[in-house]
Amino acid sequence: MKKHILVVPGDGIGQEVTAVGKKVVEKIAQKFGHEFTYDEALIGHVAIEATGDPLPEETLVKMRASDAVLFGAVGHPKYDNDPTAKVRPEQGLLKMRKELGLYANLRPIKLFDELLGASSIKPEILKGSDILFFRELTGDIYFGEKGRKNEGDTAYDIAEYSRYEVERIARKAFEAAMTRSKKLMSVDKANVLETSRLWRETVQKVAKEYPEVTVEHQFVDSAAMLLIKNPKQFDVVVTANLFGDILTDEASQIAGSMGMLASASVGDSTGVYEPIHGSAHDITGKGLANPMASILSAALMLDISFGLKAESEAIISAVEQTLKAGFRTRDIADASTPAEMILGTDAIGEEILKRI
């Protein structure tokens, strides 16, 4: 197979973990006889510094011309501490999603048994958890009209959804549910929000096309509680942009660390594959970042965009074998982990590469 991959490391530890993810993809190509070509592009803070634009047109052109995008992270404390900044790294991320039509964000919450002790949740509650989130990615409060009024003393962000936007993400979630346990949970706030009432009404309508799937509706506050109380009751979850952002970060505790969670942002063209963690500038350049979310994102890319199931499973198996061998990064180590088994970004990447 011949494919062209655009590598967009972005900011902070995105640079470090994406480099390891790319090495894993290169090893897969070598082992399985594929030909992958690569290019790189800028986004976020590094793009602003170089061009003044968080998503330069050149990057967008390269994204559209690629078969898939292996992505890092965006963000910088400089902007976090300056709410008046007009140009921000995250604007590049949002524009990328809109321009590429990346309306579905898939976040598998995969729990490796070896990391049961890495979470603050009791192992007996966690064991057996396997959740697939579908987060709508191009609507809601992030993309609605926003601004200030009353001489800047009042701010507003408008949450908005069309029936079409809800239908297309719901169908993707229902299709996934059909390949799993045929259970789907839709999360909203229909007791308060009009957008959520449209969301629930539309999901109920789409559900009629999938009579084999059992559908449960939960308010977001209740779902947040249940994720910690009984994560095993969740299978496929579909929810709006804002709720999905919060719930999937909460669900990282099920996997033990954000450094273990991959994601795929897909629509009708080029898919973008990225770890769910941020740029983490507090550890940037120290070689401490966990690259496994980037590596598992590469596995998702091979599976979803390229249809290479065996290759994807080879990566997941290599990660699992590395964990079984006792190797950890700092974020997933516990008090019983020997110091010599706690490795940095590149070193644990090498252990995973050995096992592919």
Side-chain angles (χ1 to χ4, degrees):
M1 179 177 284
K2 294 184 179 182
K3 293 291 180 182
H4 181 65
I5 300 166
L6 182 65
V7 181
V8 186
D11 302 324
I13 63 168
Q15 303 272 341
E16 301 163 50
V17 299
T18 309
V20 180
K22 181 185 174 187
K23 284 183 182 178
V24 167
V25 175
E26 289 171 333
K27 182 70 175 283
I28 286 290
Q30 175 195 334
K31 284 279 186 181
F32 287 83
H34 302 302
E35 185 180 325
F36 298 147
T37 56
Y38 305 88
D39 197 358
E40 287 209 8
L42 300 175
I43 196 170
H45 169 69
V46 291
I48 294 171
E49 292 289 293
T51 70
D53 187 341
L55 181 64
E57 185 61 27
E58 180 186 1
T59 297
L60 204 48
V61 168
K62 286 183 176 182
M63 286 176 167
R64 287 180 173 136
S66 67
D67 292 303
V69 176
L70 189 61
F71 194 87
V74 298
H76 194 280
K78 169 183 174 180
Y79 308 91
D80 298 339
N81 298 326
D82 181 10
T84 65
K86 300 298 183 189
V87 179
R88 313 178 69 84
E90 293 79 9
Q91 291 168 344
L93 188 64
L94 295 177
K95 185 178 178 183
M96 175 189 74
R97 292 169 180 170
K98 202 72 172 177
E99 292 290 330
L100 296 181
L102 304 173
Y103 63 85
N105 182 237
L106 282 65
R107 294 191 176 186
I109 311 299
K110 181 168 179 58
L111 175 64
F112 293 95
D113 283 349
E114 292 72 27
L115 297 183
L116 280 168
S119 173
S120 57
I121 306 172
K122 293 175 182 176
E124 60 269 26
I125 290 174
L126 288 178
K127 191 171 175 63
S129 299
D130 180 7
I131 309 171
L132 178 57
F133 275 91
F134 281 79
R135 169 190 169 193
E136 200 288 325
L137 207 57
T138 56
D140 207 353
I141 203 164
Y142 295 164
F143 289 91
E145 183 186 339
K146 53 187 85 285
R148 297 280 183 102
K149 60 185 180 181
N150 297 336
E151 298 181 341
D153 290 337
T154 303
Y156 60 89
D157 298 274
I158 296 177
E160 188 171 84
Y161 267 118
S162 69
R163 192 179 301 278
Y164 167 71
E165 288 174 309
V166 182
E167 282 179 349
R168 63 184 181 177
I169 186 73
R171 284 199 175 89
K172 280 198 176 291
F174 274 103
E175 292 292 340
M178 288 291 291
T179 68
R180 291 165 60 101
S181 67
K182 297 182 179 176
K183 285 171 50 185
L184 183 140
M185 180 184 288
S186 176
V187 176
D188 59 37
K189 191 65 177 167
N191 57 336
V192 175
L193 302 176
E194 193 61 35
T195 47
S196 281
R197 284 190 274 274
L198 174 71
W199 182 280
R200 185 172 293 207
E201 176 187 314
T202 306
V203 170
Q204 288 171 339
K205 177 186 172 188
V206 175
K208 294 175 183 175
E209 302 170 23
Y210 300 89
E212 295 175 65
V213 177
T214 301
V215 181
E216 178 183 355
H217 298 274
Q218 279 284 349
F219 296 140
V220 63
D221 41 357
S222 173
M225 179 272 293
L226 291 171
L227 260 179
I228 301 301
K229 183 181 179 182
N230 183 18
K232 289 193 285 283
Q233 80 176 76
F234 293 79
D235 188 1
V236 177
V237 181
V238 63
T239 192
N241 204 343
L242 176 62
F243 300 154
D245 193 357
I246 297 166
L247 289 176
T248 53
D249 279 8
E250 180 196 10
S252 69
Q253 265 304 292
I254 295 169
S257 168
M258 280 191 186
M260 295 302 301
L261 294 186
S263 80
S265 298
V266 299
D268 299 319
S269 57
T270 306
V272 175
Y273 298 86
E274 61 181 303
I276 80 159
H277 60 67
S279 50
H281 281 270
D282 57 323
I283 59 168
T284 297
K286 297 179 181 178
L288 298 174
N290 183 347
M292 283 184 263
S294 183
I295 291 168
L296 293 169
S297 294
L300 277 179
M301 177 183 74
L302 295 175
D303 183 5
I304 295 172
S305 278
F306 301 166
L308 300 176
K309 180 74 71 178
E311 289 85 337
S312 175
E313 288 174 353
I315 294 175
I316 296 167
S317 174
V319 170
E320 190 166 23
Q321 288 172 49
T322 301
L323 294 172
K324 280 181 177 174
F327 295 106
R328 302 287 186 270
T329 46
R330 188 182 66 168
D331 59 310
I332 53 172
D334 58 31
S336 67
T337 308
E340 66 273 15
M341 302 301 283
I342 302 175
L343 305 181
T345 309
D346 292 334
I348 202 150
E350 288 302 317
E351 292 296 332
I352 292 167
L353 284 167
K354 283 181 200 173
R355 292 165 171 80
I356 291 177

